[in-house]
Amino acid sequence: MPSPPSPAARRLGGASVLFLALAAATPLTVVTAVVPGAYADSALLALPLLFLALGLLLLTFTAGYTAMIRRGPGPGALYSFIARGLGRPAGVGAAWLALLSYNALQIGLYGVVGAAIAPLARVEWWVAAGVCWAVVAVCGMADLARTAWLPAVLVLAGIVVATAYAAANVLDPAGGRIAWTALDPVRLADVSRPVLGLLLVAGAFAFVGVETTAAYAEDVRAPRRATARAAVLSVLLLTVLYAASSWAMTVAAGPGRIIGAATARGPELAFDLAAARLAPWAVTLGRGLVVAGLLAAMLALHHTIARYVVALGRERVLSAGLAAPRPASFTQCLAAGLVIAVCAGLHLDPVESLGRRLAVGGALGVLLLLLGTSLAALLFLNRHPAGEGVWRRFVAPLASTVGFGALAYLAYLNFPGLVAAALATVLLGVIFALVLRSVRPVTYAGIGLGGTAVVVAPSTLTVPHPRSPGAHRPERVNRLAG
């Protein structure tokens, strides 16, 4: 097995991992596009409370998640955790699902970016997507320590703009008075249960990316502490940003008019509210940073996928030639480029075919991975306790398992075909692992261990019987007998 990189290779700081996780979540896109769409489709005023509830669920998840990171950080991330807690076949199934889900998310973003840039640049969508693909390929093939600043700067600028928009909305409320109606829990009863369930699932999609911190364990100087802190901080920052921004929109538009305004203006609502309160350049900057944030998300997802491929290559589940970052990055770029080319050749709609279907399918896959990781943490930490308290070992993993299980059930009710496809992918991975167990048992034994050397003893071992003392010296035996 290839040995992990030396400590000298660990050059990233915890802040870089934090911004990579935030970049994968595309926070500015969520604030400017997802939040107005949620108001319009659900007519639910208490949307900020849903973000707070989902943030609390994810914070509960991070208790067991960070405990698993401290036990054994590695590039396999969720795949390795599930292999340890639920068994090697389930781990390989999770790896297959992770590769499919993150690739679907990234390729879906290529369609969205292409459709957004094409009218402005007066080119076909696949040309714009191809330019973004080239940027991601070049940065992805380079050393992460040299290119981590790019998604960090882009996502930080997007968060600053989203915060500025929210502050402007609160400082200049509709009617001259700040309204707190959107934070009233009674308002949750204004929507039917099926719609509320769909909103919870869609809200969970907005946090996809916070679980990627563990994949960078071999790139940071303090893998256990840095990746764990980055996961918790990313959840906290996104929860506050989403809840505050969605509430600020109700303050600026007015609680009684936010639903109608969101229905009429859609994704333009956030920029309309900002244009009425800020300078025109602030609106232009926000529009540009939405596209830049999507590019940062594609780059962050590329690095996550590459690290999963490295982990699988190192453990020989995939070809051993993929056990290094550059071959893994090249393979991922090639796969994404081929999908974009096929979609362009078939004249598929970039937003409908790529942006919505692939992105939603990828987010559903990540949701199932979070469910599997919660259950794996619950079983593994209680089978092998090592100083964790009752909260971190039992209560938090159990609560997150129940919470993500409920979200997975709601997702099945709304997207049965996509959930079935995700489960079919897991099943294929399980079958592949069972074949490995029969054909290559040493490889199977190393699944989830991150390339650690595996020693397998033969099933039948003949133990020689000890000889009688002095049996090789007959004269001594005869003397003692006499």
Side-chain angles (χ1 to χ4, degrees), residues 14-25 148 151-153 155-157 159 230 234 237 296 300:
S16 298
V17 178
L18 170 63
F19 286 120
L20 285 168
L22 292 174
V153 169
V155 73
L156 181 60
I159 291 175
S234 61
L237 287 173

Side-chain angles (χ1 to χ4, degrees), residues 142-343:
D143 186 5
L144 179 58
R146 297 180 179 178
T147 60
W149 62 270
L150 177 58
V153 169
L154 295 179
V155 73
L156 181 60
I159 291 175
V160 170
V161 168
T163 304
Y165 284 5
N169 289 336
V170 174
L171 293 176
D172 186 13
R177 183 178 180 181
I178 296 178
W180 303 91
T181 312
L183 300 179
D184 185 1
V186 177
R187 292 289 181 176
L188 292 174
D190 294 343
V191 67
S192 63
R193 290 185 179 180
V195 174
L196 183 61
L198 180 60
L199 275 179
L200 285 170
V201 174
F205 294 169
F207 289 89
V208 169
V210 299
E211 78 291 340
T212 62
T213 59
Y216 302 99
E218 292 186 353
D219 300 282
V220 294
R221 290 183 288 270
R224 289 174 172 83
R225 183 175 65 252
T227 53
R229 288 181 178 177
V232 177
L233 287 176
S234 61
V235 173
L236 287 173
L237 287 173
L238 291 178
T239 301
V240 173
L241 180 65
Y242 294 159
S245 298
S246 56
W247 168 70
M249 286 185 187
T250 67
V251 173
R257 295 190 296 272
I258 181 65
I259 306 301
T263 303
R265 298 297 296 160
E268 292 296 319
L269 175 63
F271 299 112
D272 290 346
L273 296 176
R277 292 163 175 82
L278 298 173
W281 63 264
V283 178
T284 304
L285 178 64
R287 294 182 185 276
L289 286 176
V290 168
V291 177
L294 293 175
L295 178 63
M298 290 185 286
L299 184 56
L301 291 170
H302 169 87
H303 286 303
T304 300
I305 298 166
R307 273 140 188 81
Y308 272 93
V309 174
V310 166
L312 292 169
R314 183 177 296 165
E315 297 175 3
R316 300 294 199 274
V317 178
L318 295 178
S319 171
L322 299 175
R326 286 189 177 179
S329 294
F330 176 79
T331 303
Q332 198 281 325
C333 291
L334 182 61
L338 287 175
V339 174
I340 295 173
V342 170
C343 292

Side-chain angles (χ1 to χ4, degrees), residues 431-444:
I431 295 173
F432 182 81
L434 295 177
V435 172
L436 276 182
R437 185 173 63 179
S438 300
V439 178
R440 293 157 54 188
V442 176
T443 298
Y444 177 82

Side-chain angles (χ1 to χ4, degrees), residues 4-78:
S6 64
R10 304 182 186 276
R11 292 186 288 170
L12 283 185
S16 298
V17 178
L18 170 63
F19 286 120
L20 285 168
L22 292 174
T26 62
L28 185 58
T29 302
V30 172
V31 170
T32 58
V34 176
V35 170
Y39 276 127
D41 294 337
S42 67
L44 176 65
L45 188 61
L47 189 61
L49 296 180
L50 291 186
F51 284 121
L52 292 175
L54 290 169
L56 181 61
L57 173 61
L58 283 163
L59 282 176
T60 305
F61 164 78
T62 58
Y65 174 70
T66 54
M68 296 295 287
I69 291 177
R70 293 187 178 98
R71 292 295 190 91
L78 305 186

